[in-house]
Amino acid sequence: MAEISVKINGQEVQIEKGKTLLQACEELGIDVPTLCYHPRVAIEGACRLCMVEDKKSGQLIASCTLEADDGMEIETESPRVVEARKLVLDLLLASHDVDCFACERNGDCRLQDYSYRYGIERTAFPGERREFPIDNQNPFFERDYNRCIQCGLCVRACHEIPQAGAIDFANRGFSSEIATPFNVPLEDSTCVFCGMCVELCPVGALVPRLDRFTGRPWEIEKVRTTCAYCGVGCQIELNVNEDRVVGISGYGESEPNYGDLCVKGKFGWDYIHHPERLTAPLVRKEGKLVPTSWEEALDYTARKFKEIKEEHGGDALGGLTSAKCTNEENYLFQKFVRAALATHNVDHCARL
Ligand code: FES
């Protein structure tokens, strides 16, 4: 792969031809602020916060959109760049609800971080604003477009990752908003509730409903594990606060899912601490299911299997296994049914 040479803040870097200026900055460990950029989706260049100054032409360039060229000289924090970024943030704040104390993303919000970094206290453009009703109709996440900065990450995530195409920009100019076709409720759209829009939203416009008021971002410990819902083995991070799971995020750095989740993996975690969750095996005694030890439950089951097999033959028994098990567990299960129970009555919930 051909390499080119670019000078950034006086440091020379060799990068692969075809990489953007933003990627070149990343290689040097230079933090360039971005709001509408995410490596998982197409580049749009919507927010203009990643601007850098080209020293030769004197132009301000959105670094996420422009391919680096051999011999370029770039400044990432020149006075002109800083002034331009301040203006961008100022304009974004003009139509953003700055109710940070009530926002779930307080402390984990890129708009908040960059406003602090560039010393923006309040917008200089306190003009007319649109008011959006908060949409908390669907069971999984809340949409508060009073906080939306229209970076379009949610739209691109929806179109490109699950390819659901449930949302897009509607209207133009001051009336622009993110909406479903004909503004139907999300649950009546093609949304599959994968939650990728929520994961990529850089502010607090989209937040999972169950996670609300369960802990500030700095109180949350991330614990990497494997999703228990099926055999795919998606990598997730449990969001844990005081030994309780309060949310789930996709883990973006590993196969097989690279951060993608399905609706169950992303939003279906409330069973973990559910008061009705079974925490011990149950055996029916005198017509009632009663909690018992694993030893007693397994002895009881083995005894019943034996009795039924002796009395009616193996074909009176059958086994149904689950996609929640690993391939190895499923193999062992069918082996047990065929070899120990002496029947081919074995099936799997995921078989079509
Ligand atoms: Fe480059 Fe938004 S991050 S334009």
Side-chain angles (χ1 to χ4, degrees), residues 22 33-37 44-51 62-65:
L22 182 65
T34 62
L35 284 170
C36 72
Y37 171 80
E44 191 149 293
C47 75
R48 319 310 282 180
L49 197 65
C50 66
M51 274 182 290
S63 62
C64 71
T65 61

Side-chain angles (χ1 to χ4, degrees), residues 36-310:
C36 72
Y37 171 80
H38 194 284
R40 290 292 314 277
V41 293
I43 291 166
E44 191 149 293
C47 75
R48 319 310 282 180
L49 197 65
C50 66
M51 274 182 290
V52 293
E53 184 172 353
D54 178 1
K55 294 306 283 178
K56 288 185 179 164
S57 69
Q59 285 183 340
L60 295 180
I61 303 163
S63 62
C64 71
T65 61
L66 196 79
E67 202 178 289
D69 210 0
D70 197 36
M72 269 183 145
E73 282 185 39
I74 296 299
E75 284 289 331
T76 65
E77 296 284 336
S78 69
R80 287 186 64 215
V81 167
V82 169
E83 273 317 297
R85 285 189 192 146
K86 281 182 168 180
L87 180 62
V88 167
L89 290 165
D90 203 342
L91 288 165
L92 288 173
L93 289 174
S95 51
H96 178 81
D97 243 0
V98 193
D99 60 343
C100 299
F101 71 95
C103 179
E104 206 54 40
R105 296 290 299 272
N106 186 8
D108 178 28
C109 168
R110 303 222 298 274
L111 183 62
Q112 190 185 58
D113 291 347
Y114 298 143
S115 298
Y116 187 82
R117 173 161 151 184
Y118 291 106
I120 311 286
E121 287 182 70
R122 57 185 63 81
T123 181
F125 305 102
E128 188 186 345
R129 283 190 49 191
R130 293 191 64 198
E131 295 285 333
F132 294 93
I134 296 172
D135 173 14
N136 54 16
Q137 297 306 302
N138 77 75
F140 305 114
F141 61 92
E142 191 173 281
R143 299 193 292 162
D144 181 353
Y145 289 135
N146 299 299
R147 296 182 183 141
C148 175
I149 55 168
Q150 302 200 348
C151 65
L153 273 176
C154 56
V155 172
R156 280 171 282 150
C158 184
H159 285 251
E160 295 173 34
I161 299 176
Q163 303 188 348
I167 49 170
D168 212 327
F169 282 94
N171 309 322
R172 290 293 177 268
F174 186 69
S175 303
S176 292
E177 61 183 87
I178 307 294
T180 58
F182 307 105
N183 240 332
V184 297
L186 211 50
E187 52 278 32
D188 296 335
S189 73
T190 51
C191 176
V192 293
F193 293 102
C194 64
M196 286 313 293
C197 55
V198 178
E199 291 265 331
L200 266 55
C201 178
V203 293
L206 303 172
V207 292
R209 293 183 64 184
L210 273 179
D211 305 24
R212 294 217 63 198
F213 306 113
T214 55
R216 287 302 194 184
W218 57 88
E219 296 170 323
I220 303 297
E221 184 193 349
K222 298 270 185 187
V223 180
R224 184 170 164 199
T225 186
T226 302
C227 179
Y229 266 113
C230 79
V232 171
C234 287
Q235 294 302 292
I236 57 173
E237 285 182 317
L238 302 176
N239 302 330
V240 178
N241 188 11
E242 294 185 351
D243 290 334
R244 287 186 72 81
V245 175
V246 295
I248 281 181
S249 311
Y251 181 71
E253 308 300 317
S254 164
E255 55 187 9
N257 55 314
Y258 293 101
D260 299 4
L261 293 176
C262 69
V263 60
K264 291 190 288 184
K266 173 68 186 164
F267 298 109
W269 55 265
D270 54 332
Y271 72 90
I272 296 171
H273 302 293
H274 199 282
E276 289 175 19
R277 182 175 177 180
L278 292 182
T279 53
L282 303 176
V283 167
R284 196 175 299 279
K285 290 179 180 168
E286 295 167 4
K288 272 196 176 158
L289 286 170
V290 289
T292 186
S293 66
W294 279 107
E295 287 73 20
E296 186 188 347
L298 289 170
D299 282 352
Y300 177 87
T301 310
R303 197 170 63 249
K304 286 290 179 191
F305 277 159
K306 200 160 174 268
E307 283 170 15
I308 293 168
K309 188 177 158 192
E310 280 170 4

